[in-house]
Amino acid sequence: MSKQVSALQFSAASVAAIVLLPRLGLVWTAVAVGVCAILYLLVPKRPFSAPKAVEIALNAWNYIALGGTVDLLSRAFPEGGILIGLLILLVSDYAAGRKTALTVGTVASFLLIILYGVLFAFSLPELERPTAGRPDATLLFAALAPLPAVFLREEEKKGLFGIVGFAVLSLAAALVSNGADFYTAMKSVRILGVMERLEPLVSVAIVISGTCLMTMLCAINEKTLRRNTKIPLHFFLGCVGLLLSRVLGATILAVGTAIFWGVLPILPLSIENPKKFEKNEKNA
């Protein structure tokens, strides 16, 4: 199952890798994904467990993040609208089970690898000298997008495909975009001297990865709440999360991401180590 979790991790996090992080520039993207990789290595090699109150707080945050993802996808297309995000949310709601989410993520990872391979094969040869970019806290924390996948793990294993694939994709997208939007950068790609419009492929990748991210968040909530309902609960709560994400603003969303996707996955490690120390002290 660790391979499937890694595939879902890559598929879900790739929306942040191509939509948000490229705006930071190559240097700050490298810093952000480097911190994410370090945190991932610190995650305990066992299934996530926490007090019920912490799980409920995580569920509440995931619904806000779900709404924020709807908002992000709605704005990712120049001629798009909120309807696009809501339709993807509805599809994700009905694919919210853990097994279904892992299957969707696995299939999507193959499709995304093909899409990104085509995009970078034509865009990398036209690279310009990269700029350093500038830090933006509201974007830096987007690099933590791969970490929620650890909440779905049921084995004491860590797959590296998800985090490594995310890092490579983020750096490649930042290199090609050169501090601009990845979607916009694909408009100026030339093939055999003729300008080609590759942004439709980017749109397909955004839809696929956005669906995986929403499906993953819904699956996490179903697992922690231990509840599987036939009504479109995730859709309704995702719509509430959409309104809350707009009210809270980008700064609060960045802080929430840092807490629930950055600190929480490694929190059991900080709780476990003192217990081991006390146990060893008693035995001594």
Side-chain angles (χ1 to χ4, degrees):
M1 280 295 184
S2 62
K3 292 181 179 179
Q4 287 185 300
V5 173
S6 290
L8 177 61
Q9 184 179 47
F10 168 75
S11 300
S14 65
V15 68
I18 64 172
V19 176
L20 297 175
L21 293 180
R23 303 175 194 172
L24 291 170
L26 181 60
V27 173
W28 286 104
T29 298
V31 171
V33 299
V35 171
C36 178
I38 292 172
L39 290 176
Y40 183 70
L41 293 175
L42 292 176
V43 173
K45 290 184 178 180
R46 57 183 173 81
F48 176 83
S49 61
K52 190 65 178 178
V54 175
E55 290 186 345
I56 293 174
L58 173 64
N59 295 146
W61 165 254
N62 280 348
Y63 283 121
I64 295 175
L66 201 61
T69 305
V70 172
D71 200 21
L72 174 65
L73 295 180
S74 301
R75 299 179 184 184
F77 306 101
E79 298 179 358
I82 195 65
L83 183 60
I84 294 175
L86 291 177
L87 286 174
I88 297 175
L89 174 61
L90 188 60
V91 172
S92 302
D93 187 355
Y94 284 99
R98 182 180 182 277
K99 291 183 178 179
T100 305
L102 293 179
T103 301
V104 169
T106 302
V107 174
S109 66
F110 289 107
L111 296 175
L112 289 172
I113 289 172
I114 294 172
L115 283 172
Y116 295 139
V118 172
L119 290 170
F120 291 123
F122 292 119
S123 57
L124 286 175
E126 297 191 353
L127 281 179
E128 299 178 359
R129 183 177 179 181
T131 58
R134 59 186 181 86
D136 184 341
T138 60
L139 296 179
L140 281 169
F141 289 110
L144 299 177
L147 291 180
V150 304
F151 299 127
L152 288 176
R153 196 173 58 208
E154 291 184 348
E155 300 176 2
E156 297 184 358
K157 294 181 180 180
K158 284 186 183 180
L160 293 179
F161 166 74
I163 196 70
V164 172
F166 168 73
V168 172
L169 177 61
S170 299
L171 294 174
L175 192 62
V176 169
S177 302
N178 203 17
D181 182 77
F182 183 73
Y183 186 95
T184 304
M186 290 299 102
K187 292 182 179 181
S188 59
V189 175
R190 294 179 179 273
I191 301 176
L192 299 177
V194 179
M195 187 173 291
E196 299 290 343
R197 307 216 24 157
L198 296 179
E199 62 270 24
L201 294 181
V202 182
S203 298
V204 174
I206 291 174
V207 170
I208 293 174
S209 58
T211 302
C212 290
L213 178 57
M214 290 188 191
T215 302
M216 180 176 72
L217 294 178
C218 293
I220 292 169
N221 280 9
E222 282 203 355
K223 181 184 177 185
T224 54
L225 290 173
R226 300 170 183 85
R227 180 179 179 182
N228 189 358
T229 177
K230 297 296 183 182
I231 64 172
L233 178 65
H234 300 299
F235 177 79
F236 293 128
L237 292 179
C239 291
V240 175
L242 171 62
L243 298 176
L244 288 176
S245 66
R246 290 183 171 180
V247 171
L248 295 175
T251 302
I252 300 299
L253 291 178
V255 173
T257 302
I259 294 172
F260 289 99
W261 292 359
V263 177
L264 192 57
I266 64 172
L267 188 60
L269 183 67
S270 61
I271 297 174
E272 182 181 0
N273 286 340
K275 288 183 177 180
K276 283 185 177 180
F277 177 77
E278 292 175 4
K279 185 176 180 181
N280 292 335
E281 193 176 40
K282 288 180 180 179
N283 292 337

